[in-house]
């Protein structure tokens, strides 16, 4: 049970209802064998919990921007729903910025953080007035040039890496000694360089660090924020005025992939931060947060039809339509990214019965394309459905085009007034025409028009 008295039962019940209704309403079936489902009620709840958690620890009147890390779930309707819940956007590419703008987010609700911003991207962000955190000295040089040549409303800061260490998953640890992100604070001369950068630039008003993500324990995250805060204090002291007025603490709250319970909660993290860094919340600093996975992961479910049920070497294997194309991390790095799987029958009702150790395989043509290996579940039969839970972030919204498998349709769901479930299309399933077009279909003859020097000679000779 979490601190809100939530055992995750409500979440599981809504999910079961949605799977049943998706089959009943024809969203799922023999001709549409895979969908992504988003629990709108759950997303709204998480957004409200995030706002409440930080409202509880901050001094009244503290400006707080919760900017959803768009990379976690880059879907315009999700960004619009979050906007309605008072959540902004953290973007890290021209594409993500375009999604945020399409969702109607204002520049004041948007933060740009990517590690490889081009001059054109920086110019656009500053022209729009979007907050930008410079990743490194070369980027700050570019921003210097832009600030000299035009007036901008953009709040500007520097991203630092407190180098507090990594967690259990290397690929999502951003605060290791050699992480590619931000200015590595403990490197020789780096801290002094950062202080100087602020002393020389009265317009630098923010400081940013993101010391997540999945696999990082709370105390380590709190330490990353504490070190960022200490640096802001040092800079303001050296300058003799509160030039840094906002600290961006990044995102990175880990997600519990083992049950339906939210753990840790935003409340726990906010209180751990208040404990570790009380000065951050006394009203002298505005706050920006950039949570991604923790806002969306638990509200997404991939549901895939079992096309065939077979047996190999004594192992039951359910061949489904969900594999590497929608669960890339899990398939390639199963030890770090295990997903819970639930079994539903052909009508979308939870399956019961004795558990059998089986593989839940995907549709891609390589042997390792397994959603789960050796998992004990009620035996999946042909025409049943397998659901991969907690896939609302970094899964079905991150299609991987292996085998030219189509991007599945994504539908949001919520209870209707009559006790049923209503769905809304978030993203249409990808059409075959679109796969062909995205695969160079419009340039079918392109390569045959190129001739090497030998071929040119031949042509000449023929003439
Ligand atoms: C990825 C990222 C986030 C979000 O991380 P989550 O683990 O999804 O919360 C926030 N800020 C930055 C700069 C990021 O790169």
């Amino acid at each position: 049970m979490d601190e809100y008295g939530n055992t995750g039962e409500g979440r599981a019940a809504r999910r079961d209802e949605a799977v049943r209704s998706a089959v009943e309403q024809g969203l799922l079936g023999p001709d549409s064998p895979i969908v992504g489902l988003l629990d709108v009620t759950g997303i709204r709840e998480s957004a409200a919990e995030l706002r409440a958690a930080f409202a509880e620890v901050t001094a009244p009147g503290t400006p707080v921007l919760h900017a959803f890390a768009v990379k976690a779930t880059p879907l315009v309707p999700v960004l619009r729903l979050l906007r309605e819940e008072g959540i902004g956007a953290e973007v890290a590419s021209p594409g993500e910025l375009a999604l945020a703008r399409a969702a109607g987010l204002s520049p004041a609700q948007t933060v740009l953080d990517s590690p490889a911003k081009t001059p054109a991207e920086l110019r656009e962000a500053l022209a729009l007035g979007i907050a930008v955190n410079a990743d490194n000295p070369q980027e700050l040089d570019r921003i210097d040039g832009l600030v000299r040549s035009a007036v901008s409303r953009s709040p500007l800061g520097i991203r630092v890496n407190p180098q507090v260490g990594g967690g259990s998953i290397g690929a999502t640890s951003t605060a290791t000694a050699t992480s590619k992100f931000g200015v590595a604070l403990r490197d020789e001369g780096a801290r002094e360089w950062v202080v100087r950068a602020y002393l020389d630039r009265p317009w630098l008003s923010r400081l940013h660090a993101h010391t997540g993500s999945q696999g990082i324990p709370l105390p380590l995250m709190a330490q990353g924020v504490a070190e960022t805060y200490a640096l802001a204090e040092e800079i303001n002291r050296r300058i003799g005025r509160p030039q840094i007025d906002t600290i961006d603490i990044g995102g990175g709250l880990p997600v519990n992939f083992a049950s339906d319970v939210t753990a840790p909660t935003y409340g726990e993290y906010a209180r751990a931060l208040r404990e570790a860094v009380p000065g951050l919340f006394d009203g002298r600093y505005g706050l920006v947060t950039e949570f991604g996975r923790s806002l969306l992961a638990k509200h997404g479910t991939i549901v895939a039809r079992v096309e065939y049920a077979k047996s190999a070497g004594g192992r039951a294997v359910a061949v489904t339509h969900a594999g590497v194309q929608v669960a890339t991390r899990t398939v390639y790095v199963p030890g770090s990214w295990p997903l819970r799987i639930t079994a539903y029958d052909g009508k979308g009702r939870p399956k019961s019965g004795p558990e059998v150790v089986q593989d839940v395989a995907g549709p891609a043509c390589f042997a390792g394309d397994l959603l789960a290996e050796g998992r004990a579940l009620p035996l999946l039969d042909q025409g049943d459905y397998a659901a991969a839970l907690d896939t609302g972030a970094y899964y079905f919204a991150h299609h991987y085009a292996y085998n030219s498998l189509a991007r599945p349709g994504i539908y949001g769901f919520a209870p209707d007034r009559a006790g049923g479930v209503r769905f809304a299309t978030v993203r249409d399933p990808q059409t075959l025409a679109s796969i062909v077009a995205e695969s160079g279909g419009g340039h079918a003859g392109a390569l045959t028009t190129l001739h090497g020097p030998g071929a040119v000679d031949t042509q000449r000779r023929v003439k």
Side-chain angles (χ1 to χ4, degrees):
M1 191 155 62
D2 71 17
E3 61 176 317
Y4 312 105
N6 191 346
T7 57
E9 269 168 39
R11 189 173 282 164
R14 285 197 302 272
R15 181 172 63 229
D16 286 349
E17 271 303 297
V19 172
R20 202 182 46 74
S21 304
V23 174
E24 215 167 79
Q25 297 180 31
L27 291 179
L28 259 174
D31 296 326
S32 47
I34 173 168
V35 295
L37 299 178
L38 282 167
D39 177 1
V40 171
T41 314
I43 296 171
R44 287 192 194 274
E45 280 175 6
S46 285
E49 282 167 19
L50 172 58
R51 280 185 285 111
F54 280 85
E56 191 190 309
V57 297
T58 43
T62 304
V64 180
L65 170 66
H66 296 296
F68 173 63
V70 170
K71 81 167 178 283
T73 312
L75 296 167
V76 173
V78 168
L79 304 183
R80 173 68 67 89
L81 174 67
L82 289 173
R83 188 191 75 157
E84 201 180 284
E85 291 293 329
I87 308 285
E90 185 262 357
V91 298
S93 70
E96 288 182 0
L97 175 56
L99 299 185
R101 297 184 75 187
L105 286 147
S106 70
Q109 296 169 307
T110 308
V111 179
L112 173 66
D113 275 343
S114 88
K117 307 173 196 83
T118 64
E121 282 174 69
L122 288 167
R123 198 175 318 112
E124 189 194 9
L126 265 63
L128 290 169
I130 287 168
V132 176
N133 292 307
D135 181 84
N136 59 65
Q138 293 178 350
E139 188 168 292
L140 192 58
D141 272 351
R142 289 181 171 176
I143 295 176
D144 278 342
L146 291 167
V147 167
R148 268 196 301 271
S149 68
V151 217
S152 168
R153 283 169 295 120
S154 290
L156 299 167
I158 296 178
R159 176 171 184 173
V160 294
N161 168 12
Q163 290 167 299
V164 291
S168 61
I169 305 177
T172 54
S173 294
T174 53
T176 58
T178 57
S179 161
K180 71 174 179 184
F181 297 111
V183 178
L185 214 46
R186 293 184 190 178
D187 285 9
E188 202 181 326
R191 194 176 183 93
E192 191 51 33
W193 179 85
V194 174
V195 175
R196 271 271 131 225
Y198 283 83
L199 273 164
D200 294 345
R201 295 170 183 78
W203 41 265
L204 275 179
S205 63
R206 290 192 172 185
L207 187 63
H208 173 226
H210 165 65
T211 55
S213 128
Q214 188 69 18
I216 305 281
L218 277 197
L220 195 61
M221 290 183 61
Q223 191 194 336
V225 174
E227 300 208 1
T228 309
Y229 166 80
L231 176 61
E233 290 281 278
E234 179 185 336
I235 291 168
N236 284 347
R237 209 166 37 240
R238 296 258 307 261
I239 296 177
R241 68 179 184 93
Q243 180 175 316
I244 296 180
D245 60 22
T246 300
I247 298 182
D248 181 337
I249 64 169
L253 193 69
V255 164
N256 168 27
F257 284 93
S259 81
D260 277 314
V261 175
T262 300
T265 63
Y266 288 123
E268 283 158 357
Y269 183 44
R271 289 191 296 273
L273 286 177
R274 183 177 53 186
E275 184 88 357
V277 207
L280 180 59
F281 300 104
D282 64 13
R284 289 175 303 133
Y285 292 100
L287 270 184
V288 176
T289 74
E290 305 171 344
F291 296 102
R293 183 179 286 108
S294 54
L295 261 173
L296 258 295
K298 299 208 78 67
H299 310 307
T301 307
I302 298 165
V303 193
R305 191 171 154 92
V306 178
E307 195 65 48
Y308 300 110
K310 54 200 272 191
S311 162
R315 171 73 56 88
V317 181
V319 180
T320 78
H321 287 274
V324 74
Q325 89 277 30
V326 284
T328 315
R329 277 186 170 152
T330 295
V331 169
Y332 284 139
V333 198
S336 293
W337 301 98
L339 288 173
R340 289 184 294 147
I341 307 287
T342 55
Y344 295 93
D345 69 15
K347 296 206 154 127
R349 297 170 304 201
K351 230 183 155 174
S352 51
E355 296 201 330
V356 175
V357 171
Q358 55 197 302
D359 287 356
V360 183
C365 295
F366 66 98
D369 186 29
L370 300 173
L371 267 188
E373 191 174 3
R375 191 70 61 86
L377 290 170
L379 186 65
L380 286 161
D381 288 325
Q382 185 172 39
D384 286 348
Y385 293 94
L389 313 189
D390 306 323
T391 49
Y394 304 103
Y395 280 96
F396 54 74
H398 291 64
H399 190 79
Y400 171 54
Y402 201 97
N403 274 142
S404 301
L405 288 160
R407 286 190 289 265
I410 299 177
Y411 307 93
F413 66 86
D416 70 11
R417 293 208 181 85
V421 177
R422 266 190 67 193
F423 292 96
T425 301
V426 170
R427 185 183 76 188
D428 289 314
Q430 190 180 22
T431 61
L432 295 183
S434 139
I435 292 177
V436 173
E438 289 182 22
S439 305
H443 307 281
L447 300 180
T448 62
T449 65
L450 297 179
H451 303 284
V456 172
D457 283 346
T458 313
Q459 282 181 330
R460 278 208 198 108
R461 235 178 288 132
V462 169
K463 271 183 209 163

